[in-house]
Amino acid sequence: MIFKRMSSSLAFLLALGLAPGAAQADLIVNTGTPSNAVGDGWAFNSAHSYAGQISLADEMTINNIQGYFSTDVGTVTISLFSNIEDGDGGFIPGSALRSTSFATGLGALAWTGASALNWVVEQGTYWVVFSSSYGKGSQSSMPGMAADPLSGYALMQGGQWYDAGDLDLKQGLRVYVPEPGSMALLGLGLVGVGALRRRR
């Protein structure tokens, strides 16, 4: 009886420990930390949105997205957009597919973002978009000159997207997905819990 209780508790703890929030993550996009300081980069305020283009080779689940920027009191929105031609032979963000927002306070340059997204996306090319809603006097910055920049960048001003490939944005981006091994172990843990319940 005691052994059965211990087995059941161990299986339950295993499942909890392997839950998506605790699972390890693979870094599938990593530009490296931009070298520009505040004032040398691009103003990150309510008048601008910045986007970086990413390509996914397979269907996957995006769990965490981070950008490198300073913050002011307000809100930052991170979105995943489709990819469309801009009419001039280049590509820009199309329509928003996924989106999340979070409140921010006054903060220095740092990797900042959203986790536990669970955004399941198909193979293809997408844009990760950062938008802020701050006061008019915001001095927030999203500096560029990342060590390993993305293949494409876009900038929104006045409600219109522009291909920013020639502007040397080179802003920082990190995208994480769950490690395949972690998800497999999670499945095994849940199967184990189910088996114990059936045996009871």
Side-chain angles (χ1 to χ4, degrees), residues 2-57:
I2 293 175
F3 178 73
K4 285 183 179 178
R5 286 180 181 171
M6 286 178 63
S7 298
S8 151
S9 299
L10 285 172
F12 180 69
L13 290 172
L14 176 64
L16 281 180
L18 295 171
Q24 296 297 311
D26 273 338
L27 187 56
I28 61 165
V29 176
N30 184 13
T31 62
T33 301
S35 58
N36 277 357
V38 171
D40 293 329
W42 294 78
F44 188 45
N45 55 40
S46 302
H48 303 122
S49 289
Y50 297 106
Q53 188 183 61
I54 64 172
S55 292
L56 305 178

Side-chain angles (χ1 to χ4, degrees), residues 173-185:
L173 178 66
R174 290 175 175 170
V175 178
Y176 295 82
V177 299
E179 283 184 355
S182 296
M183 296 307 292
L185 287 172

Side-chain angles (χ1 to χ4, degrees), residues 144-156:
M145 301 308 292
D148 190 14
L150 303 170
S151 59
Y153 288 94
L155 165 67
M156 177 185 275

